[in-house]
Amino acid sequence: MNNEFGTIEMSSDVISTVVGGATTEIFGIVGMASRKHVRDGINEILNRDNYSRGVVVRQEDDGIAVDVYIVVSYGTKITEVSKNVQERVRYQLEHDLGIVAASVNVFVQGVRVQNDI
């Protein structure tokens, strides 16, 4: 980004942390999943330090494209949860970082039963 004071550059890890934080606050999300679930293990839910393994950020002509890999809670409507992720990620990127997301793609890597104990 350029402004009157100079240039601002943000790493993909910064964007991934904002995206992961926004995603994990949504009802129906168990957590972030690794985009390479075969290698990393499908059962692993990523913690805050590893959000970059569950988010892919690509630069495009009309903004950035974000791929988000999630695990949803059993019994939730997956399409509704995915739509909420898209809306929340777009909002957080614009609000927190001033970045316009050209697309937010959601990949559901698993469904997990939550035990309410």
Side-chain angles (χ1 to χ4, degrees):
M1 275 192 288
N2 294 317
N3 62 23
E4 65 272 10
F5 302 113
T7 302
I8 301 171
E9 293 186 23
M10 286 180 236
S11 73
S12 293
D13 286 342
V14 170
I15 297 169
S16 296
T17 300
V18 170
V19 169
T23 299
T24 55
E25 293 176 358
I26 296 172
F27 176 79
I29 298 290
V30 174
M32 301 291 295
S34 174
R35 66 183 177 269
K36 298 176 183 170
H37 65 277
V38 173
R39 187 189 73 184
D40 293 337
I42 187 68
N43 294 327
E44 181 183 4
I45 301 294
L46 301 176
N47 61 26
R48 188 173 311 228
D49 297 333
N50 296 326
Y51 283 162
S52 61
R53 288 180 27 210
V55 177
V56 177
V57 179
R58 296 183 314 278
Q59 182 65 45
E60 296 186 346
D61 294 336
D62 52 347
I64 62 168
V66 179
D67 297 341
V68 184
Y69 295 81
I70 60 171
V71 176
V72 298
S73 179
Y74 178 80
T76 58
K77 189 171 181 181
I78 294 173
T79 55
E80 195 64 32
V81 172
S82 298
K83 181 181 169 216
N84 290 341
V85 169
Q86 290 174 318
E87 291 173 354
R88 180 66 182 259
V89 166
R90 278 186 194 275
Y91 173 79
Q92 287 302 138
L93 287 174
E94 287 185 40
H95 181 264
D96 292 353
L97 304 177
I99 295 174
V100 176
S103 64
V104 177
N105 306 304
V106 178
F107 298 91
V108 179
Q109 298 290 77
V111 177
R112 190 171 284 183
V113 176
Q114 291 294 98
N115 295 333
D116 294 332
I117 297 176

